[in-house]
Amino acid sequence: MSRVSSLRYALVFTAGADTEDGTRDEDVVVVERTTATGPGGHPVYTDPTGIIRAEISARDEVRVLASGGHQEPPRGVVARRLPS
């Protein structure tokens, strides 16, 4: 059975190095579904600025998409479903 994609996600970007207290810095960006589909055929989500664009599968797998030149996609981004 396939799962329907959420309309909103929180993308969690985790920094590579631990902080002084042993935790990792996290940046959270809320993205909403657009009408576009990504290269994998899954919905594309974007933040209000359009800078963060990500393709998210029905299994919550994330592929961050470049929104401009000279960008290197981050690794280890986690998608958390948000209520619509």
Side-chain angles (χ1 to χ4, degrees):
M1 175 189 309
S2 68
R3 293 169 51 185
V4 176
S5 295
S6 177
L7 295 178
R8 295 174 60 229
Y9 280 90
L11 296 182
V12 181
F13 297 82
T14 304
D18 290 341
T19 61
E20 289 180 11
D21 64 0
T23 61
R24 291 191 176 226
D25 283 333
E26 290 184 344
D27 289 317
V28 179
V29 178
V30 175
V31 292
E32 293 188 359
R33 189 173 179 165
T34 68
T35 58
T37 55
H42 303 289
V44 172
Y45 294 75
T46 186
D47 74 326
T49 67
I51 295 172
I52 303 295
R53 297 179 66 241
E55 178 182 18
I56 304 174
S57 74
R59 296 189 314 184
D60 300 337
E61 299 163 318
V62 182
R63 177 189 307 186
V64 177
L65 306 172
S67 60
H70 306 290
Q71 290 181 335
E72 187 173 320
R75 298 180 189 266
V77 179
V78 176
R80 295 181 185 153
R81 291 173 185 251
L82 296 174
S84 296

